[in-house]
Amino acid sequence: MALHLELFGFVQINVYAFQPLVLRAQSPARDTKRWMWQSAATSFIQRKSKHLPLTATIQDNSGPVDIYDAKETDDEGSTPIRQSSSALSMTLDELTHELHGKGKAQLTWDCFRIGMDPVHFYNPSFPEQELDNALQDQILFDQNHPSYSCTREKIQQHLPPKRLSQTMGIKALKALSEYCYPSSLGIETSIATLSEITRSQDGTTKLLLKLCHTDHFIESVIIPNPDWGKSTLCISSQVGCAQGCVFCATGKMGRLASLTPDQILVQLYYANKVCRVINSDGNELDNGLPPIDNVVFMGMGDAADNIASVQKSVKVMTDRACFALAASKITISTVGPSPDVFEKLAEADAVLAWSIHAVRDDLRKKLVPTTKYTMEELKDGVVRALVHRSKRLRTLMLEVALMDGLNDGVQEAEEMGDFCLDLMSKVDGMKLMVNLIPFNDIGYEQYRKPSEANVAAFQKTLVGKGVKTYVRTTRGDDESAACGQLATKKRRKEKE
């Protein structure tokens, strides 16, 4: 069955279910006009791409134009991934070089920073009501809150005032979409689409993204802190994880793919979009989402298994003209597969976190079965990484997932305290903190949440030794958005 749609009087779209999408232009094949109708048609494609294969061909009198190039595979040759980069993973200097102008690059990043595609925003032919259509199919507002009405005027309120009078011409937008995007259909349909949004009672918001041209999904979590007026974004660096921590749902998935810088950064792009939309005039919720100023690589995957992409992503996040996050507001977490990974991750301008869980070798091997090195060997690797860093980044967070009767006892606390003291003694000016994380249920009866008394006793033991220790408040567990619970449940249900 064919669906015919005419846009702006000069574009006709024929869509056939489960077949490649074909666009036919009825106007003369002039490059600029051709690009304008192609961009305008993107709105329709975005709405249909969730139900059709993401392949497309554009045809007019000048011949076909391929939008989607061939799939590529990862290093193991088994998983389809997109290797081409986009403007989203370019720093301002890199994008300036590509666009031959700093002003164009600045306008591009003004949009990316708030979760907006500049190719659509600055194109007068693109309908403004469709600018945030990635959220239109999501249950973002209940009956007590009006649906979001997008206008360019509303979006301009979030852009830098000093550049509001500036715009990008059609030729500049054409160059951006053709040479700096994976596909001319736009960021949101060439890197990842927003598949689902779920919100917990405490405001924690989980985003499920489908990676374009693959069968993979990833999850990101926005954790609001109304007292500070800011939110933290927990992002993924892989689909699944190879480290196999026995208490983590992601570890049970195994490693399916490593994310490109684009696929990592698009999570921040979408999170900024959601925060902007959900707090727009007339849509402020009682437990709204303050803007994001903190990013933690603690979602799906281990950063040490995807170092190059993580490093590149952090570079863009900390570029003052791009996402403009402070280095102290980005945390990279790893279980530490080997001693040398700490030094490699330390090259990124961010705080390091070590998912340690236990310091006794036999116990840690039980919790993290992939462990190949002793804790002393791994500790030496951490020391080498920190001593070469500037003092402002000689900060280390130790993450400890506590489970009842397994690693939450006084003996484990004493061992952890001594380990921390030895570590601090080897790095001058080091700031170390321990983050205790009560186990979050993932459906395995052999692991249970520790009692509040045991968690308090563990913390008291560490503090008594002079180690800063905090207990992480569980957030989002009613929507499987808490630490250790990310496992793309929608994908699992579809397979079933």
Side-chain angles (χ1 to χ4, degrees):
M1 178 179 180
L3 173 64
H4 302 275
L5 180 68
E6 186 169 340
L7 295 178
F8 311 113
F10 58 83
V11 179
Q12 186 177 0
I13 300 178
N14 302 321
V15 181
Y16 296 87
F18 308 110
Q19 294 183 12
L21 190 62
V22 176
L23 310 183
R24 295 185 182 276
Q26 306 301 324
S27 59
R30 295 176 58 185
D31 286 346
T32 300
K33 181 175 286 189
R34 183 171 176 229
W35 178 85
M36 288 178 67
W37 64 252
Q38 175 185 323
S39 179
T42 302
S43 169
F44 176 79
I45 298 170
Q46 286 176 326
R47 301 299 297 274
K48 296 300 177 183
S49 61
K50 295 177 183 178
H51 311 292
L52 292 171
L54 287 177
T55 57
T57 302
I58 292 182
Q59 292 182 347
D60 64 12
N61 295 334
S62 66
V65 178
D66 291 331
I67 292 178
Y68 166 58
D69 17 311
K71 295 179 180 178
E72 299 179 15
T73 58
D74 63 9
D75 292 338
E76 296 180 359
S78 59
T79 307
I81 55 178
R82 284 291 292 212
Q83 295 290 354
S84 56
S85 61
S86 78
L88 189 62
S89 57
M90 296 181 191
T91 63
L92 182 69
D93 289 342
E94 292 168 343
L95 188 55
T96 296
H97 176 75
E98 292 293 328
L99 295 179
H100 306 290
K102 184 176 181 179
K104 302 170 188 175
Q106 288 175 321
L107 291 174
T108 298
W109 266 107
D110 288 345
C111 286
F112 284 163
R113 197 178 303 114
I114 63 171
M116 175 56 56
D117 191 334
V119 167
H120 298 162
F121 178 74
Y122 289 112
N123 180 5
S125 297
F126 195 90
E128 62 181 12
Q129 67 270 21
E130 298 287 345
L131 288 171
D132 282 321
N133 71 343
L135 306 186
Q136 287 186 5
D137 292 336
Q138 307 305 322
I139 306 175
L140 195 56
F141 309 106
D142 59 30
Q143 62 272 21
N144 297 320
H145 301 93
S147 58
Y148 175 65
S149 177
C150 180
T151 66
R152 283 184 169 83
E153 184 178 359
K154 276 187 178 181
I155 293 171
Q156 283 181 329
Q157 297 173 6
H158 301 274
L159 299 175
K162 61 184 178 182
R163 283 193 286 274
L164 285 181
S165 62
Q166 302 177 34
T167 188
M168 294 182 71
I170 294 301
K171 289 185 178 180
L173 293 175
K174 182 173 179 287
L176 177 62
S177 68
E178 290 188 356
Y179 303 115
C180 303
Y181 277 19
S183 128
S184 54
L185 292 179
I187 288 293
E188 296 174 17
T189 49
S190 60
I191 299 177
T193 57
L194 184 56
S195 178
E196 185 176 271
I197 299 176
T198 54
R199 303 200 76 211
S200 301
Q201 292 181 353
D202 61 14
T204 299
T205 302
K206 182 167 69 173
L207 311 181
L208 181 67
L209 304 181
K210 184 184 184 301
L211 302 181
C212 294
H213 319 303
T214 79
D215 293 327
H216 297 316
F217 289 81
I218 54 174
E219 292 179 327
S220 311
V221 181
I222 305 171
I223 308 167
N225 191 322
D227 293 337
W228 293 350
K230 300 293 183 181
S231 293
T232 293
L233 176 65
C234 179
I235 64 176
S236 299
S237 58
Q238 295 180 296
V239 183
C241 182
Q243 299 307 319
C245 298
V246 297
F247 50 84
C248 179
T250 309
K252 299 297 181 182
M253 296 175 62
R255 175 193 174 275
L256 301 179
S258 290
L259 303 185
T260 65
D262 276 347
Q263 292 166 338
I264 293 175
L265 291 166
V266 79
Q267 298 171 67
L268 181 53
Y269 170 95
Y270 272 119
N272 285 342
K273 177 189 286 288
V274 170
C275 289
R276 169 174 56 79
V277 170
I278 209 169
N279 289 317
S280 296
D281 292 341
N283 291 299
E284 290 195 11
L285 306 184
D286 294 336
N287 55 345
L289 290 176
I292 291 165
D293 83 327
N294 192 47
V295 171
V296 294
F297 283 80
M298 298 181 183
M300 301 170 66
D302 191 294
D305 290 332
N306 193 15
I307 292 176
S309 290
V310 170
Q311 289 175 334
K312 176 60 176 177
S313 299
V314 170
K315 184 177 181 180
V316 175
M317 288 179 186
T318 55
D319 189 313
R320 295 182 64 183
C322 296
F323 284 112
L325 293 174
S328 60
K329 294 292 186 178
I330 301 176
T331 302
I332 301 175
S333 178
T334 178
V335 300
S338 65
D340 64 310
V341 299
F342 295 105
E343 290 185 83
K344 294 178 181 177
L345 289 175
E347 294 175 11
D349 208 12
V351 174
L352 292 182
W354 184 10
S355 295
I356 189 170
H357 310 307
V359 299
R360 199 169 66 246
D361 287 329
D362 61 332
L363 179 55
R364 190 168 195 269
K365 179 70 174 178
K366 182 177 181 179
L367 298 176
V368 188
T370 54
T371 299
K372 297 179 181 179
Y373 297 86
T374 67
M375 291 304 291
E376 284 300 314
E377 291 173 320
L378 293 174
K379 180 170 63 177
D380 289 343
V382 171
V383 170
R384 290 195 299 271
L386 293 177
V387 295
H388 293 113
R389 306 198 88 186
S390 64
K391 288 191 175 181
R392 71 183 178 91
L393 287 178
R394 287 186 189 176
T395 298
L396 179 69
M397 179 187 297
L398 296 183
E399 300 167 290
V400 184
L402 292 177
M403 285 149 280
D404 181 46
L406 192 57
N407 66 338
D408 65 338
V410 175
Q411 177 186 348
E412 286 74 28
E414 291 283 352
E415 294 169 348
M416 184 70 66
D418 293 339
F419 186 89
C420 292
L421 292 177
D422 183 54
L423 189 54
M424 288 188 289
S425 70
K426 295 181 177 181
V427 182
D428 182 46
M430 175 185 180
K431 297 178 182 178
L432 183 145
M433 64 189 75
V434 175
N435 196 6
L436 302 179
I437 309 169
F439 171 72
N440 293 304
D441 179 48
I442 59 171
Y444 292 90
E445 296 181 357
Q446 64 266 42
Y447 306 116
R448 301 182 302 274
K449 183 184 289 288
S451 66
E452 292 184 4
N454 280 6
V455 175
F458 202 107
Q459 181 184 30
K460 183 178 180 180
T461 299
L462 291 178
V463 172
K465 289 178 175 288
V467 179
K468 285 186 178 181
T469 308
Y470 303 91
V471 178
R472 181 182 296 180
T473 301
T474 299
R475 302 286 300 274
D477 57 327
D478 55 323
E479 289 291 347
S480 296
C483 183
Q485 292 184 322
L486 303 187
T488 58
K489 283 191 172 181
K490 182 173 182 178
R491 178 60 183 164
R492 291 210 307 267
K493 289 179 181 178
E494 288 179 354
K495 285 185 175 181
E496 293 171 0

